[in-house]
Short mmCIF file of all heavy atoms in Angstrom, two decimals:
data_model
loop_
_atom_site.label_atom_id
_atom_site.label_comp_id
_atom_site.label_asym_id
_atom_site.label_seq_id
_atom_site.Cartn_x
_atom_site.Cartn_y
_atom_site.Cartn_z
N MET A 1 0.81 -1.12 0.00
CA MET A 1 0.02 0.01 0.10
C MET A 1 0.96 1.18 0.02
O MET A 1 1.86 1.29 0.70
CB MET A 1 -0.84 0.00 1.25
CG MET A 1 -1.99 0.87 1.17
SD MET A 1 -3.41 0.25 0.30
CE MET A 1 -4.54 1.68 0.30
N LYS A 2 0.52 2.20 -0.94
CA LYS A 2 1.25 3.54 -0.91
C LYS A 2 0.35 4.67 -0.67
O LYS A 2 -0.76 4.68 -1.10
CB LYS A 2 1.84 3.58 -2.25
CG LYS A 2 3.26 3.26 -2.48
CD LYS A 2 3.83 3.50 -3.84
CE LYS A 2 5.38 3.25 -3.91
NZ LYS A 2 5.83 3.39 -5.26
N THR A 3 0.79 5.60 0.16
CA THR A 3 0.01 6.71 0.45
C THR A 3 0.96 7.98 0.55
O THR A 3 2.02 7.91 0.81
CB THR A 3 -0.95 6.60 1.71
OG1 THR A 3 -1.97 7.66 1.82
CG2 THR A 3 0.05 6.61 2.92
N THR A 4 0.21 9.19 0.35
CA THR A 4 0.87 10.40 0.55
C THR A 4 0.16 11.14 1.80
O THR A 4 -1.07 11.37 1.55
CB THR A 4 0.99 11.29 -0.70
OG1 THR A 4 1.72 10.59 -1.68
CG2 THR A 4 1.71 12.55 -0.39
N LEU A 5 0.81 11.51 2.81
CA LEU A 5 0.15 12.23 3.82
C LEU A 5 0.44 13.57 3.78
O LEU A 5 1.75 13.97 3.67
CB LEU A 5 0.61 11.61 5.25
CG LEU A 5 0.37 10.09 5.47
CD1 LEU A 5 1.08 9.72 6.74
CD2 LEU A 5 -1.11 9.76 5.47
N LYS A 6 -0.34 14.51 3.97
CA LYS A 6 -0.05 15.89 4.07
C LYS A 6 0.24 16.18 5.53
O LYS A 6 -0.52 15.78 6.48
CB LYS A 6 -1.20 16.87 3.67
CG LYS A 6 -1.56 16.80 2.21
CD LYS A 6 -0.58 17.38 1.32
CE LYS A 6 -0.41 18.97 1.52
NZ LYS A 6 0.69 19.50 0.84
N ILE A 7 1.42 16.92 5.84
CA ILE A 7 1.89 17.00 7.14
C ILE A 7 1.94 18.57 7.49
O ILE A 7 2.53 19.32 6.81
CB ILE A 7 3.26 16.48 7.34
CG1 ILE A 7 3.52 15.07 6.86
CG2 ILE A 7 3.71 16.59 8.78
CD1 ILE A 7 2.69 14.00 7.51
N ALA A 8 1.46 18.84 8.62
CA ALA A 8 1.41 20.32 9.09
C ALA A 8 2.34 20.32 10.31
O ALA A 8 2.56 19.39 11.21
CB ALA A 8 0.01 20.73 9.71
N GLY A 9 3.19 21.41 10.43
CA GLY A 9 3.98 21.67 11.53
C GLY A 9 5.45 21.51 11.29
O GLY A 9 6.19 21.78 12.19
N MET A 10 5.97 21.17 10.13
CA MET A 10 7.40 20.94 9.85
C MET A 10 7.99 22.31 9.47
O MET A 10 7.47 23.09 8.61
CB MET A 10 7.59 19.93 8.87
CG MET A 10 7.21 18.57 9.19
SD MET A 10 7.89 17.36 7.97
CE MET A 10 7.07 17.77 6.50
N HIS A 11 9.07 22.67 10.15
CA HIS A 11 9.73 23.98 9.97
C HIS A 11 11.11 23.95 9.40
O HIS A 11 11.55 24.95 8.95
CB HIS A 11 9.68 24.71 11.28
CG HIS A 11 8.37 24.97 11.99
ND1 HIS A 11 7.32 25.64 11.26
CD2 HIS A 11 7.81 24.43 13.03
CE1 HIS A 11 6.33 25.55 11.97
NE2 HIS A 11 6.55 24.84 13.14
N CYS A 12 11.74 22.84 9.49
CA CYS A 12 13.15 22.79 9.10
C CYS A 12 13.44 21.41 8.53
O CYS A 12 12.76 20.49 8.72
CB CYS A 12 14.19 23.29 10.12
SG CYS A 12 14.48 22.22 11.35
N ASN A 13 14.73 21.31 8.03
CA ASN A 13 15.10 19.94 7.53
C ASN A 13 15.21 18.99 8.66
O ASN A 13 15.08 17.78 8.55
CB ASN A 13 16.51 20.10 6.86
CG ASN A 13 16.24 20.63 5.40
OD1 ASN A 13 15.44 20.05 4.63
ND2 ASN A 13 17.13 21.64 5.06
N GLY A 14 15.55 19.46 9.97
CA GLY A 14 15.62 18.58 11.08
C GLY A 14 14.19 17.88 11.29
O GLY A 14 14.11 16.70 11.53
N CYS A 15 13.15 18.67 11.16
CA CYS A 15 11.82 18.27 11.30
C CYS A 15 11.57 17.09 10.42
O CYS A 15 11.08 15.97 10.77
CB CYS A 15 10.75 19.28 11.10
SG CYS A 15 10.78 20.59 12.19
N SER A 16 11.81 17.25 9.09
CA SER A 16 11.50 16.33 7.95
C SER A 16 12.32 15.07 8.17
O SER A 16 11.86 13.98 8.01
CB SER A 16 11.55 16.85 6.65
OG SER A 16 12.86 17.62 6.46
N SER A 17 13.64 15.22 8.50
CA SER A 17 14.48 14.06 8.62
C SER A 17 14.10 13.31 9.88
O SER A 17 14.20 12.07 9.90
CB SER A 17 15.96 14.42 8.55
OG SER A 17 16.38 15.16 9.52
N ASN A 18 13.73 13.90 10.91
CA ASN A 18 13.40 13.19 12.15
C ASN A 18 12.06 12.31 11.86
O ASN A 18 11.93 11.17 12.16
CB ASN A 18 12.96 14.11 13.24
CG ASN A 18 14.19 14.73 13.97
OD1 ASN A 18 15.22 14.25 13.91
ND2 ASN A 18 13.92 15.80 14.58
N LEU A 19 11.17 12.92 11.18
CA LEU A 19 9.88 12.28 10.91
C LEU A 19 10.10 11.05 9.91
O LEU A 19 9.59 9.96 10.18
CB LEU A 19 8.89 13.24 10.28
CG LEU A 19 7.47 12.64 9.88
CD1 LEU A 19 6.70 11.89 11.04
CD2 LEU A 19 6.64 13.67 9.27
N GLU A 20 11.05 11.33 8.92
CA GLU A 20 11.35 10.28 8.02
C GLU A 20 11.96 9.02 8.78
O GLU A 20 11.62 7.89 8.48
CB GLU A 20 12.31 10.83 6.97
CG GLU A 20 12.51 9.88 5.84
CD GLU A 20 13.27 10.51 4.63
OE1 GLU A 20 12.59 11.31 3.98
OE2 GLU A 20 14.44 10.24 4.48
N LYS A 21 12.86 9.37 9.67
CA LYS A 21 13.42 8.31 10.41
C LYS A 21 12.42 7.54 11.32
O LYS A 21 12.37 6.24 11.29
CB LYS A 21 14.60 9.06 11.34
CG LYS A 21 15.74 8.07 11.79
CD LYS A 21 16.66 8.81 12.71
CE LYS A 21 17.28 9.96 11.92
NZ LYS A 21 18.21 10.90 12.69
N MET A 22 11.57 8.24 11.90
CA MET A 22 10.63 7.64 12.83
C MET A 22 9.57 6.82 12.01
O MET A 22 9.20 5.68 12.48
CB MET A 22 9.85 8.68 13.72
CG MET A 22 10.79 9.36 14.73
SD MET A 22 11.83 8.33 15.62
CE MET A 22 10.64 7.58 16.81
N LEU A 23 9.23 7.29 10.90
CA LEU A 23 8.29 6.56 9.99
C LEU A 23 8.97 5.19 9.50
O LEU A 23 8.31 4.19 9.55
CB LEU A 23 7.88 7.39 8.83
CG LEU A 23 6.82 8.42 9.07
CD1 LEU A 23 6.60 9.32 7.86
CD2 LEU A 23 5.37 7.73 9.45
N ASN A 24 10.19 5.32 9.25
CA ASN A 24 10.88 4.20 8.66
C ASN A 24 11.17 3.13 9.72
O ASN A 24 11.33 1.95 9.49
CB ASN A 24 12.14 4.52 8.02
CG ASN A 24 12.08 4.94 6.72
OD1 ASN A 24 11.52 4.17 5.78
ND2 ASN A 24 12.41 6.26 6.21
N ARG A 25 11.11 3.58 11.10
CA ARG A 25 11.25 2.62 12.21
C ARG A 25 9.94 1.93 12.57
O ARG A 25 10.07 0.95 13.31
CB ARG A 25 11.81 3.54 13.44
CG ARG A 25 13.31 3.59 13.42
CD ARG A 25 13.72 4.21 14.66
NE ARG A 25 15.02 4.79 14.53
CZ ARG A 25 15.51 5.78 15.21
NH1 ARG A 25 14.89 6.33 16.28
NH2 ARG A 25 16.79 6.14 15.00
N ARG A 26 8.94 2.43 12.08
CA ARG A 26 7.55 1.97 12.49
C ARG A 26 7.43 0.45 11.83
O ARG A 26 7.76 0.26 10.65
CB ARG A 26 6.44 2.87 12.03
CG ARG A 26 5.05 2.32 12.46
CD ARG A 26 4.91 2.23 13.95
NE ARG A 26 3.45 2.23 14.33
CZ ARG A 26 2.71 1.14 14.23
NH1 ARG A 26 3.12 -0.10 13.69
NH2 ARG A 26 1.43 1.13 14.61
N LYS A 27 7.01 -0.48 12.57
CA LYS A 27 6.75 -1.78 12.10
C LYS A 27 5.65 -1.68 11.00
O LYS A 27 4.68 -1.06 11.22
CB LYS A 27 6.21 -2.68 13.25
CG LYS A 27 6.19 -4.11 12.94
CD LYS A 27 5.75 -5.02 14.10
CE LYS A 27 5.43 -6.51 13.56
NZ LYS A 27 4.32 -7.03 14.29
N GLY A 28 6.10 -2.33 9.92
CA GLY A 28 5.06 -2.29 8.82
C GLY A 28 5.34 -1.29 7.77
O GLY A 28 4.85 -1.47 6.63
N VAL A 29 6.16 -0.29 8.14
CA VAL A 29 6.64 0.65 6.99
C VAL A 29 7.72 0.06 6.19
O VAL A 29 8.79 -0.25 6.79
CB VAL A 29 6.98 1.95 7.65
CG1 VAL A 29 7.51 2.96 6.60
CG2 VAL A 29 5.72 2.61 8.36
N LEU A 30 7.53 0.06 4.83
CA LEU A 30 8.46 -0.57 4.03
C LEU A 30 9.55 0.52 3.61
O LEU A 30 10.77 0.30 3.61
CB LEU A 30 7.86 -1.17 2.81
CG LEU A 30 6.79 -2.26 3.14
CD1 LEU A 30 6.12 -2.65 1.84
CD2 LEU A 30 7.52 -3.38 3.84
N SER A 31 8.95 1.75 3.28
CA SER A 31 9.87 2.96 3.00
C SER A 31 9.03 4.22 3.18
O SER A 31 7.80 4.18 2.97
CB SER A 31 10.41 2.85 1.63
OG SER A 31 9.45 3.10 0.65
N ALA A 32 9.64 5.20 3.66
CA ALA A 32 9.05 6.49 3.96
C ALA A 32 10.01 7.59 3.55
O ALA A 32 11.21 7.49 3.61
CB ALA A 32 8.66 6.69 5.41
N SER A 33 9.43 8.52 2.74
CA SER A 33 10.19 9.80 2.35
C SER A 33 9.48 10.91 2.66
O SER A 33 8.24 11.08 2.23
CB SER A 33 10.47 9.56 0.77
OG SER A 33 10.91 10.77 0.21
N VAL A 34 10.06 11.92 3.29
CA VAL A 34 9.37 13.19 3.79
C VAL A 34 9.90 14.34 3.04
O VAL A 34 11.17 14.54 2.98
CB VAL A 34 9.51 13.28 5.38
CG1 VAL A 34 8.82 14.47 5.77
CG2 VAL A 34 8.91 12.05 6.01
N SER A 35 9.11 15.15 2.49
CA SER A 35 9.50 16.46 1.89
C SER A 35 9.03 17.51 2.64
O SER A 35 7.86 17.71 2.84
CB SER A 35 8.98 16.43 0.50
OG SER A 35 9.01 17.80 -0.07
N LEU A 36 10.09 18.46 3.00
CA LEU A 36 9.78 19.70 3.70
C LEU A 36 9.07 20.60 2.80
O LEU A 36 8.01 21.18 3.18
CB LEU A 36 11.06 20.24 4.20
CG LEU A 36 11.03 21.60 4.90
CD1 LEU A 36 10.13 21.52 6.18
CD2 LEU A 36 12.42 22.24 5.13
N GLU A 37 9.57 20.83 1.58
CA GLU A 37 8.90 21.80 0.65
C GLU A 37 7.61 21.37 0.29
O GLU A 37 6.56 22.27 0.31
CB GLU A 37 9.64 21.86 -0.74
CG GLU A 37 11.12 22.25 -0.50
CD GLU A 37 12.15 21.20 -0.31
OE1 GLU A 37 11.94 20.10 -1.04
OE2 GLU A 37 13.09 21.24 0.47
N ASP A 38 7.15 20.15 0.12
CA ASP A 38 5.82 19.76 -0.16
C ASP A 38 4.93 19.34 1.03
O ASP A 38 3.76 19.28 0.96
CB ASP A 38 5.83 18.38 -0.94
CG ASP A 38 6.63 18.48 -2.38
OD1 ASP A 38 6.85 19.58 -2.76
OD2 ASP A 38 6.91 17.38 -2.90
N ALA A 39 5.55 19.54 2.23
CA ALA A 39 4.87 19.28 3.45
C ALA A 39 4.11 18.02 3.44
O ALA A 39 2.95 17.92 3.66
CB ALA A 39 3.86 20.38 3.78
N ALA A 40 4.87 16.90 2.86
CA ALA A 40 4.22 15.75 2.74
C ALA A 40 5.12 14.55 3.00
O ALA A 40 6.29 14.57 2.98
CB ALA A 40 3.75 15.70 1.27
N ALA A 41 4.49 13.38 3.37
CA ALA A 41 5.33 12.13 3.57
C ALA A 41 4.61 11.06 2.53
O ALA A 41 3.57 10.84 2.63
CB ALA A 41 5.13 11.57 5.01
N GLN A 42 5.51 10.47 1.77
CA GLN A 42 5.14 9.31 0.96
C GLN A 42 5.59 8.17 1.73
O GLN A 42 6.79 7.99 2.11
CB GLN A 42 5.94 9.38 -0.34
CG GLN A 42 5.52 10.47 -1.38
CD GLN A 42 6.13 10.28 -2.72
OE1 GLN A 42 5.83 9.31 -3.37
NE2 GLN A 42 6.96 11.18 -3.05
N VAL A 43 4.56 7.20 1.82
CA VAL A 43 4.77 6.07 2.72
C VAL A 43 4.27 4.78 1.99
O VAL A 43 3.24 4.81 1.49
CB VAL A 43 4.12 6.22 4.09
CG1 VAL A 43 4.45 4.96 4.96
CG2 VAL A 43 4.43 7.53 4.84
N GLU A 44 5.25 3.80 2.03
CA GLU A 44 4.79 2.53 1.44
C GLU A 44 4.80 1.64 2.55
O GLU A 44 5.78 1.56 3.46
CB GLU A 44 5.87 2.10 0.45
CG GLU A 44 5.41 0.81 -0.34
CD GLU A 44 6.47 0.47 -1.46
OE1 GLU A 44 7.36 1.17 -1.67
OE2 GLU A 44 6.05 -0.54 -2.15
N TYR A 45 3.67 0.97 2.79
CA TYR A 45 3.46 0.11 4.03
C TYR A 45 2.72 -1.17 3.79
O TYR A 45 1.94 -1.23 2.78
CB TYR A 45 2.85 0.99 5.03
CG TYR A 45 1.36 1.41 4.84
CD1 TYR A 45 0.39 0.72 5.33
CD2 TYR A 45 1.25 2.60 4.12
CE1 TYR A 45 -0.81 1.15 5.13
CE2 TYR A 45 -0.13 2.98 3.77
CZ TYR A 45 -1.21 2.37 4.35
OH TYR A 45 -2.41 2.69 3.92
N ASP A 46 2.97 -2.11 4.69
CA ASP A 46 2.19 -3.28 4.73
C ASP A 46 0.98 -3.16 5.47
O ASP A 46 1.00 -3.04 6.80
CB ASP A 46 3.14 -4.48 5.34
CG ASP A 46 2.47 -5.77 5.36
OD1 ASP A 46 1.22 -5.86 5.16
OD2 ASP A 46 3.16 -6.70 5.63
N GLU A 47 -0.24 -3.21 4.86
CA GLU A 47 -1.41 -2.83 5.50
C GLU A 47 -1.83 -3.94 6.49
O GLU A 47 -2.69 -3.88 7.23
CB GLU A 47 -2.54 -2.46 4.56
CG GLU A 47 -3.06 -3.67 3.66
CD GLU A 47 -2.13 -3.81 2.38
OE1 GLU A 47 -0.98 -3.25 2.28
OE2 GLU A 47 -2.66 -4.32 1.33
N THR A 48 -1.24 -5.08 6.56
CA THR A 48 -1.43 -6.11 7.48
C THR A 48 -0.76 -5.83 8.79
O THR A 48 -1.06 -6.38 9.84
CB THR A 48 -1.10 -7.52 7.05
OG1 THR A 48 0.30 -7.71 6.94
CG2 THR A 48 -1.65 -7.80 5.71
N GLN A 49 0.16 -4.92 8.72
CA GLN A 49 1.03 -4.63 9.96
C GLN A 49 0.77 -3.28 10.50
O GLN A 49 0.97 -2.87 11.78
CB GLN A 49 2.53 -4.78 9.74
CG GLN A 49 2.89 -6.17 9.38
CD GLN A 49 4.38 -6.35 9.50
OE1 GLN A 49 4.91 -6.62 10.41
NE2 GLN A 49 5.00 -6.29 8.34
N VAL A 50 0.33 -2.25 9.55
CA VAL A 50 0.12 -0.98 10.18
C VAL A 50 -0.95 -0.27 9.18
O VAL A 50 -1.09 -0.67 8.05
CB VAL A 50 1.45 -0.12 10.21
CG1 VAL A 50 1.84 0.19 8.74
CG2 VAL A 50 1.31 1.30 10.93
N ASP A 51 -1.70 0.56 9.92
CA ASP A 51 -2.82 1.30 9.09
C ASP A 51 -2.64 2.82 9.17
O ASP A 51 -1.58 3.12 9.71
CB ASP A 51 -4.19 0.88 9.64
CG ASP A 51 -4.44 1.14 10.99
OD1 ASP A 51 -3.55 1.89 11.64
OD2 ASP A 51 -5.43 0.67 11.50
N LEU A 52 -3.44 3.53 8.58
CA LEU A 52 -3.42 4.89 8.64
C LEU A 52 -3.33 5.64 10.04
O LEU A 52 -2.56 6.53 10.26
CB LEU A 52 -4.51 5.62 7.80
CG LEU A 52 -4.35 5.50 6.28
CD1 LEU A 52 -5.65 6.06 5.63
CD2 LEU A 52 -3.05 6.36 5.82
N ASP A 53 -4.05 5.02 10.85
CA ASP A 53 -4.07 5.51 12.32
C ASP A 53 -2.71 5.24 12.92
O ASP A 53 -2.17 6.04 13.72
CB ASP A 53 -5.11 4.77 13.27
CG ASP A 53 -6.55 5.33 13.07
OD1 ASP A 53 -6.65 6.54 12.62
OD2 ASP A 53 -7.52 4.66 13.31
N GLY A 54 -2.09 4.13 12.63
CA GLY A 54 -0.71 3.86 13.05
C GLY A 54 0.35 4.86 12.47
O GLY A 54 1.14 5.36 13.25
N LEU A 55 0.05 5.24 11.32
CA LEU A 55 1.02 6.23 10.70
C LEU A 55 0.85 7.53 11.34
O LEU A 55 1.77 8.31 11.60
CB LEU A 55 0.87 6.29 9.17
CG LEU A 55 1.11 4.90 8.45
CD1 LEU A 55 0.87 5.18 6.90
CD2 LEU A 55 2.60 4.48 8.59
N ARG A 56 -0.51 7.90 11.55
CA ARG A 56 -0.77 9.24 12.09
C ARG A 56 -0.27 9.35 13.58
O ARG A 56 0.25 10.28 13.93
CB ARG A 56 -2.31 9.29 12.18
CG ARG A 56 -2.76 10.81 12.69
CD ARG A 56 -4.34 10.80 12.70
NE ARG A 56 -4.86 10.84 11.38
CZ ARG A 56 -5.70 9.92 10.95
NH1 ARG A 56 -6.04 8.93 11.74
NH2 ARG A 56 -6.21 10.01 9.76
N GLU A 57 -0.26 8.16 14.19
CA GLU A 57 0.32 8.18 15.54
C GLU A 57 1.87 8.45 15.61
O GLU A 57 2.32 9.30 16.41
CB GLU A 57 0.26 6.76 16.15
CG GLU A 57 0.46 6.52 17.56
CD GLU A 57 0.07 5.00 18.00
OE1 GLU A 57 -0.95 4.82 18.34
OE2 GLU A 57 0.96 4.13 17.85
N VAL A 58 2.60 7.93 14.54
CA VAL A 58 3.99 8.32 14.48
C VAL A 58 4.18 9.83 14.22
O VAL A 58 5.09 10.46 14.95
CB VAL A 58 4.69 7.51 13.33
CG1 VAL A 58 6.12 7.98 13.10
CG2 VAL A 58 4.64 6.02 13.58
N VAL A 59 3.38 10.41 13.30
CA VAL A 59 3.44 11.77 12.97
C VAL A 59 3.17 12.60 14.24
O VAL A 59 3.93 13.55 14.46
CB VAL A 59 2.45 12.03 11.79
CG1 VAL A 59 2.31 13.53 11.57
CG2 VAL A 59 2.80 11.32 10.57
N GLU A 60 2.11 12.25 14.94
CA GLU A 60 1.72 13.04 16.13
C GLU A 60 2.78 12.88 17.29
O GLU A 60 3.02 13.91 17.96
CB GLU A 60 0.32 12.63 16.57
CG GLU A 60 -0.72 13.14 15.68
CD GLU A 60 -2.12 12.67 15.94
OE1 GLU A 60 -2.28 11.82 16.89
OE2 GLU A 60 -3.06 13.11 15.25
N ASN A 61 3.43 11.70 17.39
CA ASN A 61 4.53 11.52 18.32
C ASN A 61 5.70 12.36 18.03
O ASN A 61 6.46 12.69 18.92
CB ASN A 61 4.77 10.12 18.48
CG ASN A 61 3.87 9.23 19.21
OD1 ASN A 61 3.00 9.74 19.92
ND2 ASN A 61 3.85 7.94 19.09
N CYS A 62 5.91 12.75 16.88
CA CYS A 62 6.99 13.59 16.36
C CYS A 62 6.60 15.05 16.58
O CYS A 62 7.47 16.01 16.25
CB CYS A 62 7.34 13.30 14.94
SG CYS A 62 8.28 11.90 14.61
N GLY A 63 5.31 15.31 16.92
CA GLY A 63 4.82 16.74 17.13
C GLY A 63 4.21 17.40 15.97
O GLY A 63 4.08 18.57 15.98
N PHE A 64 3.94 16.65 14.91
CA PHE A 64 3.30 17.10 13.72
C PHE A 64 1.90 16.60 13.65
O PHE A 64 1.49 15.78 14.43
CB PHE A 64 4.04 16.83 12.53
CG PHE A 64 5.52 17.02 12.69
CD1 PHE A 64 6.53 16.11 12.50
CD2 PHE A 64 6.02 18.47 13.01
CE1 PHE A 64 7.85 16.38 12.63
CE2 PHE A 64 7.27 18.61 13.13
CZ PHE A 64 8.21 17.62 13.08
N ASP A 65 1.06 17.14 12.61
CA ASP A 65 -0.25 16.65 12.37
C ASP A 65 -0.38 16.20 10.99
O ASP A 65 0.21 16.77 10.04
CB ASP A 65 -1.20 17.83 12.66
CG ASP A 65 -1.49 18.03 14.20
OD1 ASP A 65 -1.72 17.14 14.90
OD2 ASP A 65 -1.10 19.16 14.63
N VAL A 66 -1.34 15.12 10.80
CA VAL A 66 -1.69 14.83 9.50
C VAL A 66 -2.87 15.70 9.18
O VAL A 66 -3.91 15.84 9.75
CB VAL A 66 -2.10 13.36 9.45
CG1 VAL A 66 -2.70 13.00 8.03
CG2 VAL A 66 -0.91 12.46 9.92
N VAL A 67 -2.78 16.25 7.91
CA VAL A 67 -3.85 17.17 7.45
C VAL A 67 -4.84 16.34 6.64
O VAL A 67 -4.36 15.52 5.71
CB VAL A 67 -3.34 18.32 6.48
CG1 VAL A 67 -4.42 19.15 6.04
CG2 VAL A 67 -2.30 19.14 7.26
N GLU A 68 -6.16 16.40 6.88
CA GLU A 68 -7.10 15.54 6.16
C GLU A 68 -7.26 16.10 4.79
O GLU A 68 -7.33 17.22 4.54
CB GLU A 68 -8.41 15.49 6.92
CG GLU A 68 -8.28 15.01 8.32
CD GLU A 68 -7.78 13.44 8.30
OE1 GLU A 68 -8.10 12.79 7.33
OE2 GLU A 68 -7.05 13.14 9.21
MO1 9UX B 1 14.06 22.30 13.38
MO2 9UX B 1 11.80 20.92 13.79
O1 9UX B 1 15.31 23.02 14.56
O2 9UX B 1 10.83 20.21 15.34
S1 9UX B 1 13.85 20.09 14.03
S2 9UX B 1 12.14 23.21 13.85
#
C-alpha cells in the first residue's frame, strides 16, 4: 500500500528528517520519504502490519499533524 500524507507543522530539515526516520522505524513501514517543501510524507507500508491510524500516531508523536 502506498499513500501520501499531508503534514502540518514541519519548519526545518531537522523536522522532516526526524519524521522520516521515525516513520521508517515503524513496524510495517517498508519505506518512507518526507519532503519539507511539499509538506508531505510518501509512505509505502504493509497494511497487514500498520494502518493509517498507526502512521498518524508516528506523525503526532513527532509533534506534527496529518492534514485531512
Ligand atoms: Mo528544526 Mo523541527 O530545529 O521540530 S527540527 S524546527
Side-chain angles (χ1 to χ4, degrees):
M1 195 80 188
K2 258 184 180 171
T3 191
T4 301
L5 305 173
K6 294 290 293 170
I7 309 293
M10 296 193 295
H11 301 297
C12 78
N13 282 309
C15 295
S16 51
S17 63
N18 285 338
L19 178 57
E20 188 169 286
K21 201 176 301 171
M22 294 313 285
L23 283 169
N24 277 301
R25 275 183 198 160
R26 180 64 161 81
K27 190 179 172 217
V29 171
L30 306 174
S31 74
S33 165
V34 179
S35 165
L36 176 66
E37 296 91 41
D38 298 343
Q42 286 191 67
V43 187
E44 191 175 356
Y45 62 99
D46 177 348
E47 66 272 24
T48 67
Q49 295 194 85
V50 66
D51 59 9
L52 283 173
D53 278 339
L55 298 178
R56 186 179 295 113
E57 192 174 273
V58 175
V59 172
E60 289 174 354
N61 285 342
C62 282
F64 310 122
D65 286 304
V66 175
V67 182
E68 296 303 325

